[in-house]
Amino acid sequence: MNNLKTYLFEILLLCFTIGIPYLLGTSETVGGMIASFFIFIVLRYINYWLFAVCFSFITLTCTLLLPATIWFGYPTITMISAFLETNFQEAKEFTQSLPLYAYILSIAVLFFAGYILYLGKKKRYTYNKKSILITSLIAVTAIILTIERPIRKWDEKKGFEFRHSHTLIFSFYDSLYKDITDYYKLRESIGIDLPPSWKIDTVTPRYQDYVLVIGESVRRDYMSLYGFPVENSNFLKAVKGTVLEGFTSTAANTTTSLLRTFIQMKGTDFVYENNIISLAKKAGFETFWLSNQGLVGEWDTPMARLASLADHRKFMKLGHYESKPVYDSSLLAPFKEYLSLPATGPRLFILHLVGSHQLFENRLEAPLHYSYYNTNLSSYIQTIEQTDKLLEQIYQTLQTQNHPFSLLYFSDHGLETKDRNSPKASLAHGISKASFRVPFVIINSNDTLHKEVHINKSGYHFIEGFAQWLGIKESSLNSSYNFLSPPSDTLKVFTGEYVPFDSLTEDSIIIIK
């Protein structure tokens, strides 16, 4: 017991050091943990207040980040950028969305660290040649363990960087600093907040409310709307509107596709400040962005940056897209709320669905009721039906407002068949033609017929069609371009490089024999 009391400070300090990587949502080598522990010991030996300041700073970092890291993991650059861009209301909603036990653990860590500080203040060291020699050896060992890996990576990384160290109390802060620096460099290079160069000639909208619904991972050949043998899009098949057969997405994953769809391009270069939100706002539209995609995931943040330009925005998930199970139907409540606001001019509503994203069964609100080949494909088919029903609810909501409206639905990209001949066959990201063939439908409040149009149209011309859809004529855009009228577009896609669409391989649906 006497020995335990004598070394209780060191024992608890070691336990805390071992726990630091878990508190920060990352990992650390044994050597890194030893180095961190040795550094704390050396600092306490030199001066208690030097130790207290450094230890308290690290403790504060851990306790503040713990509630978020439990739920979302290590604070990546995308999480950091989302934090830097968030407003007070979003920050409030974010903190309220975190589980209570995360805050309880955070408080427990704070008290545990406080007890270590208390023991450290009571700790008494003898200063003689032997203790100084031992402390010096400990310090040298900590330094070697800390700088060994950055030195090994000197040539590869073109310099010494603490972020490559195994010692987390150095690498974490260096990484955090560089991520924040990189974020501001990226923000400056993207220039999405720069004044747009749009030159509006005329604005003559035909409708009061325009609603753009962005689907997720829907390839059109799995929709009964486009001939799939299982009925999963009854609303879109029956509603008075126009179905485009021939729309091709720009790329095969969400961010790469939508950035090329929603931002003006000059050749292969983005003009970030010229995008669908800045165009609509420049033309006098009030803009709304509602998203069931995430705010801080690896692929979410670029779209969140674009959404941040809207006059009103609502993210159902303040973490990454898979951070918690929220169904697309949850978008209806805020959509109805925004729609009921007094309208002083034309309005644009953008709803970004999680739709048919992979892990299809997780997307389903109702029990699986299809039986098509296997659970993967059955669930995928039902996610499409679920989106069809949501579109019907959006349409009915718009009708109740008694305002003229136009509803446009398309998907960001499709998917490719994987393990075709296996009982576990499924769909995933790929670069076959099916990965780019997506649904595209426009439904207007004054439509009297259900029509189909067979024209090849490319997402690379979306912003021109978007302007025409809203009734905007802008000097740099082709004002005669129409989503639903000839001529056909030349089709190209981005697969890491720009290639002709016809150069891709076919990928047909799996047919049950």
Side-chain angles (χ1 to χ4, degrees):
M1 287 298 294
N2 288 333
N3 286 336
L4 180 62
K5 286 183 179 180
T6 302
Y7 297 106
L8 185 59
F9 167 69
E10 287 81 0
I11 292 169
L12 295 184
L13 182 60
L14 177 61
C15 292
F16 186 89
T17 306
I18 292 171
I20 288 174
Y22 301 100
L23 299 174
L24 296 177
T26 185
S27 60
E28 188 176 31
T29 64
V30 173
M33 291 180 188
I34 292 171
S36 296
F37 175 65
F38 281 179
I39 289 167
F40 287 138
I41 291 296
V42 171
L43 290 175
R44 174 59 192 92
Y45 183 84
I46 294 171
N47 180 271
Y48 169 74
W49 293 109
L50 181 61
F51 161 76
V53 169
C54 294
F55 183 76
S56 297
F57 183 72
I58 293 164
T59 297
L60 190 61
T61 302
C62 292
T63 53
L64 289 175
L65 289 178
L66 178 58
T69 56
I70 284 176
W71 207 237
F72 305 121
Y74 182 80
T76 61
I77 185 171
T78 50
M79 186 184 291
I80 292 164
S81 64
F83 170 78
L84 293 171
E85 290 170 7
T86 196
N87 57 38
F88 174 77
Q89 181 60 31
E90 287 172 342
K92 181 181 176 182
E93 291 176 1
F94 177 79
T95 55
Q96 290 174 342
S97 71
L98 297 175
L100 178 61
Y101 71 81
Y103 292 106
I104 294 172
L105 283 174
S106 188
I107 293 170
V109 168
L110 196 60
F111 276 104
F112 184 66
Y115 187 57
I116 292 173
L117 285 171
Y118 167 73
L119 293 175
K121 186 158 179 51
K122 292 178 63 178
K123 186 74 179 180
R124 295 293 178 264
Y125 289 105
T126 55
Y127 294 89
N128 51 44
K129 289 183 179 180
K130 182 180 178 181
S131 65
I132 292 173
L133 177 61
I134 292 173
T135 304
S136 299
L137 290 173
I138 290 174
V140 170
T141 302
I143 291 170
I144 292 172
L145 290 172
T146 298
I147 68 173
E148 172 266 332
R149 191 165 183 261
I151 289 175
R152 279 195 290 112
K153 287 186 169 288
W154 187 300
D155 291 337
E156 178 187 344
K157 302 299 180 181
K158 304 292 189 295
F160 182 93
E161 292 184 315
F162 273 117
R163 69 188 307 174
H164 303 304
S165 173
H166 288 305
T167 307
L168 191 59
I169 59 175
F170 285 99
S171 62
F172 177 82
Y173 292 105
D174 191 42
S175 294
L176 192 65
Y177 170 76
K178 286 184 169 59
D179 282 347
I180 292 173
T181 303
D182 289 345
Y183 160 74
Y184 280 112
K185 286 180 181 177
L186 177 65
R187 181 167 180 159
E188 185 178 344
S189 67
I190 286 180
I192 206 165
D193 295 322
L194 294 174
S197 60
W198 298 122
K199 294 181 180 178
I200 307 295
D201 297 327
T202 60
V203 182
T204 53
R206 296 175 59 196
Y207 306 97
Q208 169 68 62
D209 295 322
Y210 290 82
V211 181
L212 172 60
V213 179
I214 309 164
E216 169 67 56
S217 300
V218 179
R219 48 184 283 179
R220 62 175 179 254
D221 54 2
Y222 272 96
M223 301 177 70
S224 58
L225 176 67
Y226 290 94
F228 186 65
V230 177
E231 291 295 338
N232 65 347
S233 41
N234 289 332
F235 167 70
L236 290 177
K237 281 186 69 174
V239 71
K240 295 177 176 64
T242 305
V243 179
L244 175 60
E245 169 77 58
F247 188 75
T248 304
S249 65
T250 61
N253 64 63
T254 299
T255 301
T256 3
S257 174
L258 293 183
L259 288 180
R260 287 167 173 77
T261 305
F262 291 162
I263 293 174
Q264 188 181 41
M265 299 186 71
K266 296 292 179 69
T268 58
D269 296 326
F270 292 100
V271 186
Y272 288 101
E273 63 270 27
N274 288 355
N275 52 70
I276 61 170
I277 296 295
S278 64
L279 177 63
K281 290 176 71 172
K282 187 82 171 180
F285 282 73
E286 188 175 10
T287 54
F288 303 77
W289 192 297
L290 300 90
S291 176
N292 196 30
Q293 300 259 341
L295 182 62
V296 302
E298 181 179 359
W299 305 111
D300 306 320
T301 304
M303 296 315 301
R305 291 279 294 115
L306 183 58
S308 70
L309 300 179
D311 298 309
H312 312 270
R313 53 183 176 164
K314 176 70 175 179
F315 277 83
M316 308 312 295
K317 299 187 185 82
L318 297 177
H320 56 82
Y321 81 91
E322 195 69 289
S323 58
K324 60 178 179 176
V326 178
Y327 300 115
D328 287 333
S329 60
S330 64
L331 291 168
L332 277 173
F335 175 63
K336 290 177 181 178
E337 180 184 344
Y338 284 144
L339 197 63
S340 65
L341 295 175
T344 56
R347 302 185 293 185
L348 170 66
F349 300 85
I350 298 176
L351 282 74
H352 194 180
L353 312 183
V354 79
S356 301
H357 203 287
Q358 286 176 280
L359 301 177
F360 311 126
E361 200 168 359
N362 292 357
R363 312 288 163 225
L364 301 180
E365 285 193 63
L368 182 62
H369 59 257
Y370 285 111
S371 179
Y372 188 90
Y373 193 79
N374 63 21
T375 300
N376 287 330
L377 291 179
S378 298
S379 299
Y380 182 71
I381 292 165
Q382 190 164 320
T383 61
I384 293 173
E385 178 192 61
Q386 197 165 270
T387 295
D388 182 75
K389 289 180 177 178
L390 177 62
L391 290 169
E392 182 177 18
Q393 291 173 304
I394 292 170
Y395 176 75
Q396 291 170 344
T397 300
L398 288 164
Q399 285 184 312
T400 62
Q401 297 297 308
N402 294 318
H403 294 160
F405 66 84
S406 183
L407 169 63
L408 190 161
Y409 162 70
F410 81 104
S411 183
D412 54 1
H413 60 83
L415 295 172
E416 180 178 279
T417 308
K418 302 295 182 182
D419 300 322
R420 174 178 290 274
N421 298 318
S422 165
K424 296 182 179 180
S426 189
L427 300 167
H429 289 84
I431 54 171
S432 65
K433 287 182 177 178
S435 300
F436 302 89
R437 288 174 172 151
V438 295
F440 191 102
V441 183
I442 295 180
I443 305 166
N444 301 317
S445 55
N446 59 343
D447 284 340
T448 57
L449 297 171
H450 179 88
K451 299 184 294 184
E452 294 181 3
V453 174
H454 297 264
I455 309 171
N456 286 333
K457 292 290 181 176
S458 169
Y460 284 100
H461 294 280
F462 183 89
I463 205 160
E464 294 175 305
F466 174 81
Q468 192 275 338
W469 178 53
L470 296 185
I472 301 170
K473 287 189 176 181
E474 196 278 335
S475 59
S476 69
L477 301 176
N478 178 6
S479 60
S480 65
Y481 187 90
N482 189 304
F483 286 129
L484 306 177
S485 301
S488 290
D489 296 337
T490 300
L491 301 183
K492 65 175 180 179
V493 294
F494 183 77
T495 62
E497 59 181 345
Y498 293 95
V499 299
F501 176 72
D502 286 339
S503 68
L504 304 178
T505 59
E506 290 287 353
D507 177 40
S508 60
I509 63 172
I510 293 180
I511 299 175
I512 299 178
K513 297 180 181 179

